[in-house]
Amino acid sequence: EPPPRSHVILVSGVPLGLRQTIRSRCQMLRFGPLPRAAVASLLAERGGLTEEEASLRAALAGGSPGAALVFESEGFARMRESLLGLLERAEGLDAPGRMEAAEELEQSDDPALLLTTLRSLLRDLVALRAGAGPEALVNVDLAARLAPLAGGPLAERAPRLADRAAEARRALRGFAGKLLTFDLLVDALAGDDPA
């Protein structure tokens, strides 16, 4: 046992994954996300980013300066472009097209980031459908391409689809097969969602 005046700080993104014997000895403190403007300011200062790039990363990082600092801009931009392209063509995909899309998603080096990015795009569709302006979007630079999708059936299903993306992320943390997980997600994006 540590001396009485000792304090040990244990940081975990998945506290329920810790053993009960450890959790029972801990006092849980939850920290909220930093405001978008504070993260953007930090990125501009420390990262030497342009105001536009810092603002975009801050929006996508969800209040986490650490997450914003590790974004690899070019790779992330390609991934986001690919996901937006998938959303634009999802409803017209036939079975071979869906499988091809799932195989492309499976090749991602960072499935968690891919699914978080997909959720941000779906969130923006919901915001636009509800009448929010471009300034309320996470992917503000894609507002012109998201606007037509916001008026269609994909945006109507976007909240359920965002839940499916979150389920896929949880499944991939476990022992779920990547290809099957992405295949089911692409089917849901295409409109074959049993829920």
Side-chain angles (χ1 to χ4, degrees), residues 36 40 43 49-60 138 140:
R36 193 183 290 188
L43 290 172
L49 301 174
T50 66
E51 186 177 320
E52 183 180 314
E53 178 73 13
S55 179
L56 175 62
R57 285 190 190 193
L60 295 169
V138 172
V140 67

Side-chain angles (χ1 to χ4, degrees), residues 14 111-112 115 166-178 181:
V14 191
L115 291 165
E167 289 169 17
R169 186 174 173 169
R170 281 191 298 276
L172 290 174
R173 277 193 212 137
F175 297 105
K178 271 176 81 174
T181 300

Side-chain angles (χ1 to χ4, degrees), residues 4-5 13 32 34 37 42 55 71 97 105 116-117 131 138 144 158 160 162-164 169 177 192 195:
R5 298 186 65 159
L34 292 176
L42 178 80
S55 179
F71 277 136
L105 295 178
T116 298
T117 305
V138 172
R160 277 196 327 273
D163 289 343
R164 294 292 298 266
R169 186 174 173 169
D192 288 348

